[in-house]
Amino acid sequence: MKSVQDNFTAQAELYAKYRPDYPAELYQFLFSLCRHKDAAWDCGTGSGQVAIALAKHFTNVYATDISEQQIKNAAQRNNIIYDVERAEHTSFEDSSFGLVTVAQAIHWFDFDSFYKEVNRTIKAGGVFAVIGYGLLRVSPEIDLVIHHFYYDIVGRYWDKERKYIDENYATIPFPFEEQPVPELMNNFEWTLDDLLGYFATWSAVQHYKKTNDKDPVPFIKAALEKVWQPHALKTVQFPILLRVAIIDKPAK
C-alpha cells in the first residue's frame, strides 16, 4: 500500500482560514443524486469545509483525515463526527454511507485500496464524488504572476501527485460507471492578503521553506502589489473538478 503523506499538518491553521470551499450548485447536484441521507463520509476532510455542507442535509457526517492537527482545527457541528483515520483502512461498518466525498485529497491516496474501502462502506445506490479545484484565475496581469510563482518558483517543489490536479482529475483511475456532471466555477471576492494567505497553504510552499529555510511567497508580493492595491477586492475564480458515480452493489 502507498505510504502515508501528510503535507498539511504544519499549516493546519492557515488551511482552515484560507482554503476555498465549494459552490452551492455542487452540493445541490450531489444531493439530487442521493437516495440515502442518514450518513455520509467526507474522506480527507482537512478543516471540514465539505463536512459542514453535508451536515446540513445528512443526519450524521463522518469526517476523517490522517492529520490530527487538521482535525483539531476543523469546524465543529453537532452531527459531524471527526476522527483521525487513513482513507484506505477505516473502522466503519460495511454499507454505512449514502454519500462518500473526497475533496482535493484523492491524489494522495492509494487508489486501489481506497476504492475497495469506498465499495465496502458505501450503501447500494450510494453516491461517490471526487471533488477538487484547479489553479485559480484573477486577471491576465495577475495570472502571469501566479503562473510564474506556480511553475517557476515553487514548481519543482510540488509532489508528483500534483499532476492529477493539473490534469483536472481526468487521469486518476476511476473504475466506476461515471455520471455526467455540470461545469462549475467558484468565485470569491478576495483581498491581496487573502491570496497570499492561500499561497501559504500550498504544500509546495512548505517544501520550499523546509529546503531553503525561507518563505517564497514574499518573492512575488511586490509584483502583485503593482497591480493589486492591498485592501482592494478582486474576483478570484477556481475551476471545479468533479467526477461522480452511483455505486450499485448486489444485495447480500
Side-chain angles (χ1 to χ4, degrees):
M1 186 183 293
K2 187 177 179 180
S3 61
V4 174
Q5 292 195 76
D6 178 4
N7 287 330
F8 303 100
T9 286
Q11 68 271 31
E13 291 186 17
L14 289 171
Y15 198 97
K17 183 176 181 180
Y18 290 111
R19 279 286 171 138
D21 53 15
Y22 296 92
E25 293 83 0
L26 168 65
Y27 296 112
Q28 291 166 2
F29 170 70
L30 293 180
F31 298 152
S32 73
L33 300 177
C34 291
R35 305 177 198 171
H36 314 285
K37 295 186 179 179
D38 52 342
W41 173 26
D42 182 38
C43 183
T45 194
S47 52
Q49 290 103 327
V50 172
I52 292 169
L54 301 187
K56 298 175 183 177
H57 293 265
F58 282 78
T59 305
N60 288 301
V61 174
Y62 296 82
T64 61
D65 202 282
I66 61 168
S67 170
E68 184 175 356
Q69 197 62 32
Q70 286 274 32
I71 294 294
K72 286 181 178 178
N73 282 276
Q76 301 297 311
R77 297 293 186 274
N78 290 335
N79 62 334
I80 301 178
I81 300 94
Y82 288 104
D83 202 1
V84 178
E85 294 203 57
R86 186 170 182 180
E88 300 89 346
H89 183 72
T90 69
S91 58
F92 301 128
E93 295 183 359
D94 294 356
S95 301
S96 292
F97 304 113
L99 172 65
V100 176
T101 57
V102 52
Q104 203 73 358
I106 197 169
H107 49 288
W108 302 118
F109 298 170
D110 181 297
F111 293 118
D112 290 342
S113 298
F114 174 59
Y115 289 147
K116 287 179 182 177
E117 193 70 349
V118 170
N119 273 310
R120 183 185 71 81
T121 59
I122 202 165
K123 292 177 183 289
V127 177
F128 173 54
V130 174
I131 307 165
Y133 49 83
L135 188 61
L136 71 164
R137 309 165 188 168
V138 186
S139 67
E141 63 269 27
I142 292 172
D143 291 353
L144 284 174
V145 180
I146 292 172
H147 283 222
H148 173 60
F149 184 60
Y150 184 88
Y151 293 105
D152 302 328
I153 296 179
V154 302
R156 68 187 182 95
Y157 296 92
W158 288 109
D159 294 279
K160 66 182 185 300
E161 290 86 354
R162 180 71 190 187
K163 71 172 186 174
Y164 291 115
I165 292 177
D166 291 336
E167 294 163 355
N168 300 319
Y169 277 163
T171 57
I172 65 169
F174 199 77
F176 307 104
E177 185 174 348
E178 198 156 356
Q179 298 292 309
V181 299
E183 291 188 10
L184 299 170
M185 187 76 67
N186 213 9
N187 299 325
F188 302 92
E189 296 299 311
W190 276 8
T191 65
L192 178 56
D193 283 345
D194 292 326
L195 179 69
L196 297 175
Y198 168 65
F199 287 157
T201 70
W202 284 3
S203 58
V205 168
Q206 300 303 314
H207 292 328
Y208 186 104
K209 290 169 68 174
K210 186 175 181 179
T211 301
N212 300 288
D213 198 28
K214 62 177 67 175
D215 184 355
V217 175
F219 298 164
I220 59 164
K221 185 176 180 181
L224 287 169
E225 286 176 337
K226 292 179 180 178
V227 291
W228 193 334
Q229 296 300 311
H231 300 293
L233 291 173
K234 290 187 180 292
T235 300
V236 174
Q237 295 185 313
F238 286 87
I240 297 300
L241 318 180
L242 183 61
R243 302 189 71 176
V244 174
I246 297 175
I247 301 179
D248 290 307
K249 304 192 296 183
K252 292 186 177 180

